[in-house]
């Protein structure tokens, strides 16, 4: 599990595991932010929690190597990006091809790419006058939000929506489709 913030998707995944809907174990929770709420959640549950960010090491290559080492040391099979706001180094994408999954709060390929995260996504959806939005679970490749789409679910955009009300409606969908998609992936042989 890689995350940068509060970790509500991480909590939803833990809930799905507890209910037996997702047969998995979270081997590692890694964040680029020491104060990420998700790291606290991990520590409370006895899940290894690691803070690792690019500025902590000397070079991009050193960061890539440290990330790979953390994943392999904890025997991670599938990497879930649950609100991880940093790019994944290409060496890590190559080592885990087809096994890194991201959740994005729009219907990709719309409203994805650099700068499209958090509130910015929902502001752009409202600005464009869309009548539907939603969430996308996709594989991670070397691009930004460009990997193969695994699941999507729609929500209506209401006339009086604000970025906050729309974000909350999309987040509820994220919490459902992310664990479901991970469960599907883990029960299938391989995806690439
Ligand atoms: C979610 O909206 C997710 O789609 C995006 O980052 C946000 C993370 O939220 N990639 P949380 O930390 O899981 O609450």
């Amino acid at each position: 599990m890689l995350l940068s913030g509060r970790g509500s998707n991480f909590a939803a995944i833990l809930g799905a595991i507890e209910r037996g809907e997702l047969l998995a174990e979270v081997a590692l929770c890694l964040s680029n932010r020491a104060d990420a709420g998700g790291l606290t959640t991990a520590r409370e549950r006895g899940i290894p929690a690691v803070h690792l960010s690019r500025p902590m090491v000397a070079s991009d290559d050193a960061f890539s190597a440290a990330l790979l080492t953390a994943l392999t040391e904890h025997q991670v099979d599938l990497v879930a990006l649950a609100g991880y706001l940093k790019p994944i180094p290409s060496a890590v994408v190559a080592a885990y091809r087809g096994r890194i999954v991201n959740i994005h709060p729009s219907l990709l390929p719309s409203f994805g790419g650099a700068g499209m995260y958090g509130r910015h996504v929902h502001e752009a959806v409202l600005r464009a006058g869309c009548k539907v939005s939603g969430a996308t679970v996709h594989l991670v490749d070397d691009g930004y939000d460009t990997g193969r789409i695994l699941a999507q679910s729609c929500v209506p955009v209401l006339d009086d929506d604000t970025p906050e009300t729309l974000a909350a409606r999309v987040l509820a969908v994220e919490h459902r489709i992310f664990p479901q998609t991970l469960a599907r992936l883990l029960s299938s042989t391989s995806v690439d």
Side-chain angles (χ1 to χ4, degrees), residues 22-156:
L22 171 57
L23 301 181
E25 179 192 341
V26 180
L28 170 69
C29 178
L30 185 147
S31 180
N32 60 305
R33 295 191 50 144
D35 61 352
L39 283 183
T40 307
T41 303
R43 289 190 191 102
E44 285 168 359
R45 310 262 185 142
I47 295 167
V50 170
H51 171 219
L52 176 66
S53 67
R54 170 63 187 82
M56 292 165 70
V57 295
S59 66
D60 288 349
D61 283 350
F63 176 70
S64 179
L67 182 53
L68 257 183
T69 299
L71 295 174
T72 49
E73 268 180 358
H74 289 88
Q75 299 180 309
V76 170
D77 294 322
L78 183 68
V79 180
L81 307 186
Y84 183 67
L85 296 179
K86 296 291 177 184
I88 302 296
S90 55
V92 178
V93 172
Y96 277 85
R97 194 164 297 284
R99 294 185 294 144
I100 307 179
V101 187
N102 184 46
I103 179 92
H104 184 81
S106 77
L107 296 173
L108 291 174
S110 296
F111 307 107
M116 277 295 171
Y117 62 90
R119 181 188 173 92
H120 301 293
V121 175
H122 306 295
E123 282 174 348
V125 168
L126 292 176
R127 229 179 3 252
C130 296
K131 295 300 178 196
V132 291
S133 188
T136 301
V137 182
H138 65 95
L139 290 178
V140 171
D141 62 12
D142 283 314
Y144 238 112
D145 299 328
T146 52
R148 180 148 78 82
I149 292 171
L150 300 175
Q152 289 185 311
S153 189
C154 296
V155 302

Side-chain angles (χ1 to χ4, degrees), residues 5-9 82-83 103-105 171 174:
R6 66 191 159 182
S8 72
N9 276 285
I103 179 92
H104 184 81
L171 193 64
E174 294 182 36

Side-chain angles (χ1 to χ4, degrees), residues 10 17 20 22 24 37-38 86 95 99 101 117-118 124 138 161-162 185 187 190:
F10 175 36
I17 292 172
L22 171 57
K86 296 291 177 184
R99 294 185 294 144
V101 187
Y117 62 90
H138 65 95
D161 262 336
T162 63
L185 270 182
S187 66
S190 81

